[in-house]
Amino acid sequence: MEPAERSRVPRIDPYGFERPEDFDDAAYEKFFSSYLVTLTRRAIKWSRLLQGGSVPRSRTVKRYVRKGVPLEHRARVWMALSGAQAQMDQNPGYYHRLLQGERNPRLEDAIRTDLNRTFPDNVKFRKTTDPCLQKTLYNVLLAYGHHNQGVGYCQGMNFIAGYLILITNNEEESFWLLDALVGRILPDYYSPAMLGLKTDQEVLGELVRAKLPAVGALMERLGVLWTLVVSRWFICLFVDVLPVETVLRIWDCLFNEGSKIIFRVALTLIKQHQEFILEATSIPDICDKFKQITKGSFVMECHTFMQKIFSEPGSLSMATVAKLRESCRARLLAQG
């Protein structure tokens, strides 16, 4: 029998994920009791904002999004801000036509292989659950593979689509949000050559060298490639890396402000744990430290964490990111 005080935190979170054995119930309860007050206050403000029907792009909305979108409004807000709603409205019936399109056995097999590996710790994705979300996930990924044949299916997209399904509870909306992310917000992350992904990992390296030179120097001295320590952050957009609530708060901003948010999160994690990272003396050591910095109370307390990502890294404009992307991409292409 577990002690009575532990049982107050449910073993399964609101999204269907089982909490791990070593989950710190006491720390979570302490955080959540104060976060609940924030959530309630935000929900009232959002309900007022959304009374007009549409979700306009404005400074107010940007501020609201940074402070978190309440779960009950998340799907609607993501759909509006990402342009997915407009795409869906302009293409009625398109999603269902994709599902009925010509069969592609290679695509189907690739998706099927990954279904059981997607969130084994989530009860909603288990075959024993009715309805099991694996079928929904399969449909969304299959439709996307038909829609964007240059990408087809790539590992990592299963985790992203899975989160979208958990939030929207709607197959078609999940498809259009996946299209917004893969087709527009994340430049060339999932194409076979993954040039956009490789470019952005190099961009992070440049930003670290400029803003956190000691860490940049250590990575260079040890000969650590950035892809070794951060590829999962980029490919999975922090899914299965950071706590669920924190990932959703990051995605709120990602859909509104674009891919520079990923750099803000990465820089904040590295800056916050700079001293700890600098203790590393070998490549395995540094890999282990990069895993550890994504755990603990700093990342669990999502509200404070999100405030930090907008203050800690300093200014970071889309223009700066675009310029760095250009030079890093050219360098990668020259290396061929």
Side-chain angles (χ1 to χ4, degrees):
M1 272 280 289
E2 286 190 324
E5 65 265 26
R6 276 189 61 123
S7 63
R8 281 191 305 210
V9 175
R11 296 330 299 154
I12 293 171
D13 77 10
Y15 309 99
F17 290 97
E18 289 177 328
R19 300 195 196 276
E21 282 299 308
D22 59 354
F23 187 74
D24 190 339
D25 293 56
Y28 180 78
E29 250 187 284
K30 185 169 177 254
F31 151 69
F32 200 75
S33 57
S34 63
Y35 187 47
L36 202 55
V37 179
T38 306
L39 284 176
T40 310
R41 197 170 58 236
R42 303 305 317 155
I44 293 163
K45 294 197 168 193
W46 271 100
S47 296
R48 212 172 290 145
L49 179 80
L50 295 172
Q51 270 170 355
S54 64
V55 187
R57 274 187 174 277
S58 66
R59 288 181 87 127
T60 304
V61 168
K62 184 177 179 179
R63 197 175 71 246
Y64 274 36
V65 169
R66 285 185 173 191
K67 290 181 178 179
V69 182
L71 182 58
E72 65 268 30
H73 300 308
R74 208 164 239 145
R76 181 180 163 193
V77 171
W78 286 3
M79 287 292 288
L81 294 176
S82 66
Q85 187 66 54
Q87 287 294 317
M88 189 165 114
D89 293 345
Q90 285 159 26
N91 297 282
Y94 177 67
Y95 173 71
H96 297 287
R97 286 198 299 280
L98 288 171
L99 288 177
Q100 287 147 17
E102 200 179 324
R103 293 204 45 196
N104 179 339
R106 270 185 69 186
L107 176 67
E108 291 168 20
D109 288 347
I111 294 168
R112 232 178 248 118
T113 303
D114 273 359
L115 285 183
N116 286 329
R117 299 180 196 156
T118 310
F119 305 135
D121 58 340
N122 190 303
V123 295
K124 296 181 183 185
F125 283 89
R126 293 211 179 122
K127 285 192 171 134
T128 48
T129 308
D130 188 31
C132 168
L133 289 181
Q134 279 196 14
K135 177 63 181 154
T136 310
L137 178 62
Y138 176 79
N139 285 350
V140 170
L141 293 171
L142 183 68
Y144 194 76
H146 286 308
H147 165 69
N148 186 343
Q149 291 176 14
V151 168
Y153 169 71
C154 171
Q155 280 186 334
M157 285 166 61
N158 51 327
F159 292 109
I160 292 168
Y163 258 46
L164 294 173
I165 290 163
L166 287 171
I167 295 305
T168 61
N169 247 325
N170 181 301
E171 223 175 273
E172 192 175 1
E173 288 182 1
S174 298
F175 165 80
W176 286 111
L177 284 169
L178 185 64
D179 180 51
L181 282 170
V182 177
R184 294 192 296 283
I185 296 170
L186 306 171
D188 200 16
Y189 271 29
Y190 302 97
S191 60
M194 289 184 152
L195 185 59
L197 175 74
K198 291 170 185 167
T199 299
D200 277 5
Q201 288 171 170
E202 292 303 311
V203 169
L204 177 63
E206 293 293 335
L207 289 168
V208 170
R209 271 192 284 278
K211 291 174 182 283
L212 304 162
V215 175
L218 175 73
M219 296 287 281
E220 236 158 90
R221 195 166 67 249
L222 294 176
V224 186
L225 298 174
W226 280 99
T227 185
L228 206 57
V229 289
V230 298
S231 63
R232 197 166 173 77
W233 297 6
F234 285 87
I235 292 172
C236 298
L237 300 178
F238 301 102
V239 171
D240 258 12
V241 173
L242 296 176
V244 184
E245 201 57 55
T246 309
V247 175
L248 295 172
R249 288 287 302 269
I250 292 166
W251 284 22
D252 288 344
C253 298
L254 184 65
F255 280 119
N256 190 42
E257 297 183 51
S259 54
K260 68 176 179 181
I261 295 299
I262 303 170
F263 298 110
R264 285 198 164 278
V265 174
L267 287 167
T268 303
L269 284 168
I270 296 165
K271 185 175 180 183
Q272 178 71 20
H273 300 95
Q274 183 170 208
E275 297 307 311
F276 176 65
I277 292 167
L278 291 173
E279 291 167 7
T281 53
S282 67
I283 294 178
D285 197 10
I286 210 156
C287 290
D288 184 54
K289 287 192 176 341
F290 267 82
K291 276 199 187 86
Q292 287 187 51
I293 66 173
T294 60
K295 297 173 171 60
S297 60
F298 179 65
V299 292
M300 182 182 67
E301 293 169 13
C302 56
H303 202 58
T304 321
F305 181 78
M306 291 307 289
Q307 287 168 341
K308 291 255 186 196
I309 77 161
F310 291 110
S311 59
E312 288 300 308
S315 72
L316 181 62
S317 68
M318 218 47 213
T320 303
V321 171
K323 212 169 172 180
L324 284 171
R325 274 180 177 151
E326 212 175 298
S327 58
C328 289
R329 190 183 171 93
R331 197 165 66 226
L332 283 166
L333 286 170
Q335 287 165 7

